[in-house]
Every structure is written in C-alpha cells, then in structure tokens.
C-alpha cells in the first residue's frame, strides 16, 4: 500500500489542472508545466487530484508514488515557486550576473560564463565579510535542481578546507588532514 500515492493533492486557488490522455497540464500564476504519465490513472475532481494504479505489480507501485510526487511538485511550483541557494566558499571566488548570464570566478585561469534558461531567475549577492551567494528561482523544480547541480559541479566542496560551491545549509564531511 503506497502511503504517498494514496494521498490526494489539494489544488490551491489560481491553479488549473487539465488531464488529457497520457499527460497532465498544470497552470498557475508563475507559469505552466506539463508531465506525461503511463501505468497510472489520474482524476481531477472537487479541487483534488487523485492518482490510482490498476494493479499491485512492482512497476505500478513505483509509478504510483512517483507521479503523485511529480504532480505535487508541479502544483507547488506554479503557485509558490522553487528556490535553491548556493554559497561560494574560497578566497577570490566571485559570482555576478547580467540578465541570464552567470559569471563565476572559481580560481581557474578563466571565468566560467553560464547562460541560464529564461524560466530561471538568478540573483547574486556579494557582501563584504560574507561568502558570495547565488539564488536560483523558478516554477520548475527539476530545472532549478539541474542548474544548481551544474553550477556546483564546477567546483565541488573539498573535504579538508571546505572550499568550493555548496548548497546553503549543506553539511560537509570534513577530514582531519595531516597529523604528525
């Protein structure tokens, strides 16, 4: 019995859901998202979305919870939006943006310039005495996570000093280093 898949998804005001054969479209004040599905049936009634599975096979059980979570993320995204914050830890590490271009100085011989998708809003913050931060905001959770992971992959945090790009609030496993 799926605990996640059996819960209905409440649809807030200002969000419309359209279920077609094999796809679902969610529209809200922040944008529009669509998702194709198979192996489950989705019903929209009385301001709630219900996801049901035809049998108890392993594949149907897996897809039951998956599509319910994806639809919930879509509904929250078009109503509230998703945000990821990254922090640059290291001497000389800088981030700046001009529109959708993110310019990163990460200790390489050249700056890394990343063109972001138009659905993602980017803000950079550089205060004196604090580490620079990058804030990504969008209605698409998958896109925000993918871009944040791409930015983090340029300079992952190392375990000895903790230098690199990390998510705000992320706990790093630190190593002791040399001991004489």
């Amino acid at each position: 019995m799926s605990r996640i898949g059996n819960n209905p998804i409440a649809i807030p005001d200002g969000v419309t859901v359209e279920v077609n054969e094999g796809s679902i479209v969610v529209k809200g004040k922040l944008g529009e998202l669509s998702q194709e599905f198979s192996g489950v049936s989705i019903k929209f009634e009385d301001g709630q979305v219900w996801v049901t599975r035809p049998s108890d096979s392993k594949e149907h059980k897996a897809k039951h919870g998956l599509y319910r979570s994806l639809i919930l993320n879509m509904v929250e995204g078009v109503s509230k939006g998703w945000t990821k914050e990254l922090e640059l830890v290291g001497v000389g590490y800088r981030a700046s943006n001009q529109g959708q271009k993110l310019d990163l100085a990460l200790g390489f011989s050249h700056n890394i310039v990343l063109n972001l998708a138009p659905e993602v809003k980017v803000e950079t913050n550089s205060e004196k005495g604090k580490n620079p931060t990058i804030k990504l905001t969008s209605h698409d959770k998958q896109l925000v996570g993918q871009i944040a992971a791409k930015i983090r992959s340029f300079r992952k945090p190392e375990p000895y000093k903790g230098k690199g790009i990390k998510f705000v609030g992320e706990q790093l496993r630190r190593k002791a280093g040399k001991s004489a």
Side-chain angles (χ1 to χ4, degrees), residues 13-83:
D13 293 336
V15 176
T16 60
V17 175
E18 186 179 319
V19 180
N20 301 324
E21 192 64 37
S23 70
I24 183 168
V25 178
V26 180
K27 297 177 188 173
K29 63 181 180 184
L30 297 179
E32 176 181 335
L33 294 169
S34 64
Q35 175 69 45
E36 293 182 4
F37 62 90
S38 64
V40 295
S41 61
I42 298 174
K43 288 185 288 217
F44 174 62
E45 53 190 32
D46 300 331
Q48 292 183 331
V49 174
W50 294 88
V51 181
T52 56
R53 62 178 183 247
S55 71
D56 283 343
S57 72
K58 192 172 184 178
E59 180 185 0
H60 290 150
K61 283 183 177 182
K63 288 183 176 182
H64 191 202
L66 168 75
Y67 287 122
R68 194 258 180 208
S69 295
L70 290 176
I71 294 167
L72 179 66
N73 290 342
M74 290 166 52
V75 169
E76 284 188 34
V78 297
S79 59
K80 299 178 201 164
W82 295 99
T83 302

Side-chain angles (χ1 to χ4, degrees), residues 78-109:
V78 297
S79 59
K80 299 178 201 164
W82 295 99
T83 302
K84 288 263 188 194
E85 286 191 65
L86 297 129
E87 183 178 10
L88 281 69
V89 180
V91 176
Y93 289 7
R94 292 186 309 277
S96 63
N97 71 306
Q98 294 185 342
Q100 293 301 100
K101 284 191 177 193
L102 182 63
D103 190 9
L104 300 168
L106 301 174
F108 298 117
S109 62

Side-chain angles (χ1 to χ4, degrees), residues 176-180:
K178 286 192 220 178
S179 55

